[in-house]
Amino acid sequence: MVISAPGDNPFEVTGRADDAAHTWSYLNSVNDCRAKDGTKTERLRITGAEYAQMVRDGRTCPY
């Protein structure tokens, strides 16, 4: 979905927040990440803290 801004331009936001500040992060199935229990899911929901740790560790999946 495209949200329009004035002049029929796409709405844009800039800025940087700490990854851990997010309540939830959603990962798509591109990297074939699985849930903690090993089940496969279309969209994996993890906490911001889990996502931040995954990024710090250089991993593409949290578990």
Side-chain angles (χ1 to χ4, degrees):
M1 174 187 346
V2 175
I3 300 172
S4 295
D8 204 31
N9 293 314
F11 179 77
E12 296 178 330
V13 176
T14 59
R16 178 83 173 123
D18 180 21
D19 293 327
H22 298 283
T23 303
W24 298 108
S25 290
Y26 292 88
L27 305 177
N28 64 29
S29 58
V30 170
N31 292 318
D32 202 28
C33 297
R34 296 182 178 264
K36 277 185 182 178
D37 65 3
T39 58
K40 190 172 181 173
T41 180
E42 284 291 315
R43 246 181 357 153
L44 180 61
R45 183 175 84 166
I46 61 174
T47 66
E50 289 171 321
Y51 180 77
Q53 187 63 54
M54 181 184 86
V55 171
R56 279 193 298 274
D57 293 346
R59 295 180 280 129
T60 57
C61 291
Y63 313 116

